[in-house]
Amino acid sequence: MADGFDKIQKLPDPVPGCPNFRRVPGFKVYCCGQPTIAGFENVLNKVCGDTYPKDGPIIWFNLRQEPNVYVNGDPICARPPNKIGEYAELGAITRDIQKANEEEFLKVCEMRKTENGGKLKAVDINKKELEIEVKELKSLSQVIEGVKEKFPGLVHWRVPICNSAAPLAGDFDIICKTLVGTAINTPVIINDQVGLSRATTGCVVACLFKEFQISASFEGLVETVPGINASLLKTDRYVMNPEKDTLFRGEFEVVKELISKLKDGAGAKNNADKIIDLNGTPKTGGTGIKQLRENIAESKLSYEIMDDAAQAFLKTKIMDNIQKYFYMIVFAAYIREAAAAAREGVEADQKAAVALPASGKCSIPAAQLKLGKSFVTFLSENAGLDDLIDTGKGNLQWERDIPPAALANLEGLAAKDFKGNLGKIIHDIYQTAHVMFGDMPQGDHKKRAKYRFASKTIMRILPAAMKKEIEGLIEAKKMTMDLYEILGKCTWVEIK
């Protein structure tokens, strides 16, 4: 499948050959989609600018699960037929598996090009068939080796992660291990196909690591500057707009329980929220496309208007996204603990070299910072968090509750004379829906939400025999849970 497509660019000020490139405000962390060969050089030139040396260290993380080759300078990926134009959730893909898949994909493309007279068949995200005359065919690894000729300090590392759920604990550690030993100003670039969820997730992790470096390196130094209120620089003091809906603030029940279990859980959540906002859209202070926390709430609002099949898919996605948000808070707690340990754990014989004369506090160069333990170890020391999220990520109110008085009225009408009161029942269902969905703006979304509510409510109050019959027909896929179909079956009179 061709990576590029029409309207892939969602942001202003595009960098040629690299979709949706942007910098996270306040950090030398950059996010983008899969570049073309020319796009790699354009991005690296922009990142280095006029000040950062082109032979200096630059870290580039590729978070894609699907392997890439480059045809005539443009990226093409291998995907299963059922993942064309969809998010590629390919399971437990590791760096070694992805590298092996890339090598095999290159061989297959070479073979098919030869068999097809120098042309390669592919599809775009809309499954439109393409036939490309191949003038140049390279693997991603070969492309990176070419890029390193001009940027010899480039480190390109694959950390394949899924789209919706959190990275594995080991993936957090791989990113941290790669960043240990780098300076505060070392550029970090992170890509997926388009520059959406996976790349944004990686950028949040990278920014939290940069926070570790800043906290451990500069907190003691900042406190020596006259007139500086160091508390203003702490992201654990971050406060979101209290007028936002609780879901938009990330106040899920499982998150509340997590905060109560973590040491300074509230500070960890504030820290994570600040970084997530900076990696989000302009309305939360970012420069990006995807807001990892608020996207959960937006998906939850969409859930109410979907049909059953779409709801099943979206429910899984929402729970996966809650799991990702949960582990971002846990990772923030880990990073905060690591920063405190780094500041306080300097050996006595080394303390003189990093202690500040004015305060005696340590200011350790970022490149010398070490993580005392892995994230995997931190999770094992905080046993029960995995079980907490596994059982709690679905703890949401998936359907709006019908007011008890309204339900009692409808049940009473149905019990007294269902068919005789049917007109009144339909009227009262829609009157109730009008009140229940009054917070939604007028339009098709609201109409669909009310119609789905009416369909489910009529099923709920059907007389027992009728309900059993209709449930059987729905299970046998002879009808759907649609208001008009249900009413048609209820009012149909068979000629005897």
Side-chain angles (χ1 to χ4, degrees):
M1 185 189 84
D3 276 342
F5 55 90
D6 188 35
K7 297 182 181 179
I8 189 174
Q9 182 66 34
K10 311 292 184 186
L11 300 174
D13 305 319
V15 173
C18 186
N20 299 311
F21 175 83
R22 71 269 192 186
R23 178 177 175 176
V24 181
F27 295 88
K28 290 201 76 173
V29 176
Y30 306 85
C31 190
C32 63
Q34 189 72 41
T36 63
I37 292 179
F40 272 110
E41 187 170 342
N42 293 337
V43 162
L44 291 167
N45 280 327
K46 187 172 182 66
V47 166
C48 292
D50 298 325
T51 56
Y52 194 81
K54 292 187 177 182
D55 59 353
I58 301 171
I59 310 297
W60 192 309
F61 291 109
N62 182 326
L63 303 191
R64 301 184 67 178
Q65 292 185 320
E66 60 274 29
N68 269 109
V69 298
Y70 278 74
V71 180
N72 303 336
D74 294 325
I76 288 181
C77 69
R79 291 195 178 206
N82 65 332
K83 296 294 183 182
I84 301 298
E86 298 182 10
Y87 293 121
E89 304 280 18
L90 303 181
I93 303 294
T94 64
R95 174 186 180 274
D96 291 340
I97 291 173
Q98 208 230 31
K99 185 73 185 293
N101 286 345
E102 180 189 292
E103 292 171 357
E104 182 63 24
F105 185 36
L106 181 64
K107 291 178 184 177
V108 170
C109 289
E110 289 278 11
M111 180 186 68
R112 292 188 179 180
K113 178 196 74 171
T114 302
E115 292 174 349
N116 197 38
K119 296 181 179 180
L120 192 63
K121 292 183 178 180
V123 294
D124 65 12
I125 64 163
N126 297 313
K127 303 181 182 179
K128 178 184 176 182
E129 294 187 358
L130 310 170
E131 189 170 61
I132 307 165
E133 183 176 352
V134 181
K135 299 176 182 177
E136 180 186 63
L137 180 60
K138 292 183 177 182
S139 67
L140 175 59
S141 297
Q142 291 169 338
V143 170
I144 295 300
E145 289 307 308
V147 173
K148 286 181 179 180
E149 293 176 6
K150 292 186 178 181
F151 300 88
L154 177 65
V155 174
H156 184 270
W157 201 258
R158 304 165 198 262
V159 190
I161 67 172
C162 62
N163 183 73
S164 297
L168 301 176
D171 295 332
F172 284 94
D173 282 333
I174 291 170
I175 293 174
C176 289
K177 185 177 180 181
T178 307
L179 295 177
V180 165
T182 61
I184 292 283
N185 70 334
T186 299
V188 180
I189 307 167
I190 302 175
N191 84 273
D192 56 20
Q193 181 195 347
V194 179
L196 290 175
S197 293
R198 290 177 287 182
T200 303
T201 299
C203 283
V204 171
V205 176
C207 289
L208 285 168
F209 183 87
K210 292 280 189 182
E211 287 263 295
F212 157 70
Q213 291 181 312
I214 293 168
S215 178
S217 296
F218 296 134
E219 186 168 293
L221 183 62
V222 166
E223 290 176 3
T224 68
V225 180
I228 288 289
N229 182 354
S231 67
L232 296 178
L233 305 178
K234 296 178 181 291
T235 54
D236 61 358
R237 306 288 201 276
Y238 183 59
V239 178
M240 276 186 287
N241 183 353
E243 295 182 2
K244 282 186 176 181
D245 182 85
T246 54
L247 294 186
F248 282 85
R249 296 201 302 266
E251 295 175 4
F252 309 103
E253 291 303 317
V254 70
V255 169
K256 291 178 183 177
E257 193 168 349
L258 169 67
I259 291 171
S260 70
K261 291 182 178 296
L262 287 174
K263 180 182 178 182
D264 191 17
K269 181 181 183 300
N270 289 342
N271 206 161
D273 283 332
K274 174 65 174 179
I275 299 301
I276 288 171
D277 283 354
L278 289 174
N279 278 275
T281 60
K283 72 177 183 179
T284 62
T287 56
I289 308 169
K290 186 72 72 172
Q291 221 289 355
L292 297 182
R293 184 191 63 253
E294 296 194 356
N295 183 58
I296 302 171
E298 290 164 356
S299 296
K300 178 63 174 62
L301 293 176
S302 298
Y303 179 86
E304 295 177 318
I305 63 172
M306 301 291 186
D307 60 31
D308 288 345
Q311 277 192 343
F313 170 81
L314 191 57
K315 185 174 184 178
T316 299
K317 180 186 174 185
I318 290 169
M319 291 192 295
D320 282 347
N321 284 333
I322 290 174
Q323 185 232 24
K324 179 192 293 186
Y325 178 57
F326 178 97
Y327 279 109
M328 288 300 170
I329 297 171
V330 177
F331 183 71
Y334 161 71
I335 283 295
R336 288 160 59 79
E337 180 183 288
R343 290 193 303 270
E344 298 163 5
V346 180
E347 298 292 339
D349 59 342
Q350 299 174 352
K351 197 164 187 177
V354 295
L356 298 166
S359 65
K361 293 193 174 184
C362 294
S363 180
I364 311 162
Q368 297 177 21
L369 289 170
K370 305 293 181 186
L371 290 168
K373 68 179 75 166
S374 68
F375 187 50
V376 170
T377 301
F378 179 83
L379 287 175
S380 67
E381 292 174 352
N382 291 269
L385 296 184
D386 291 342
D387 289 339
L388 174 61
I389 185 59
D390 286 344
T391 57
K393 63 185 178 182
N395 187 13
L396 289 176
Q397 184 176 353
W398 296 101
E399 303 285 351
R400 300 195 185 201
D401 289 331
I402 183 171
L407 179 60
N409 168 61
L410 292 168
E411 288 175 335
L413 290 170
K416 187 175 181 180
D417 182 358
F418 178 76
K419 288 189 175 181
N421 290 327
L422 193 53
K424 173 68 172 168
I425 288 171
I426 298 301
H427 172 273
D428 287 2
I429 286 175
Y430 268 97
Q431 187 65 37
T432 302
H434 178 73
V435 175
M436 285 178 59
F437 295 93
D439 60 321
M440 293 182 69
Q442 293 294 335
D444 290 341
H445 283 0
K446 185 169 186 173
K447 290 178 182 177
R448 289 174 63 186
K450 291 165 68 174
Y451 187 80
R452 281 187 56 75
F453 168 77
S455 300
K456 290 186 174 184
T457 304
I458 198 74
M459 274 295 295
R460 184 173 180 175
I461 63 172
L462 282 175
M466 198 177 291
K467 185 175 183 179
K468 183 177 180 181
E469 179 187 3
I470 290 177
E471 285 178 340
L473 292 170
I474 292 172
E475 187 175 348
K477 297 184 178 180
K478 293 182 178 179
M479 64 178 288
T480 62
M481 193 168 64
D482 176 271
L483 178 64
Y484 289 151
E485 287 193 62
I486 296 168
L487 292 177
K489 186 64 181 175
C490 292
T491 57
W492 181 259
V493 177
E494 295 187 12
I495 300 174
K496 297 182 180 180

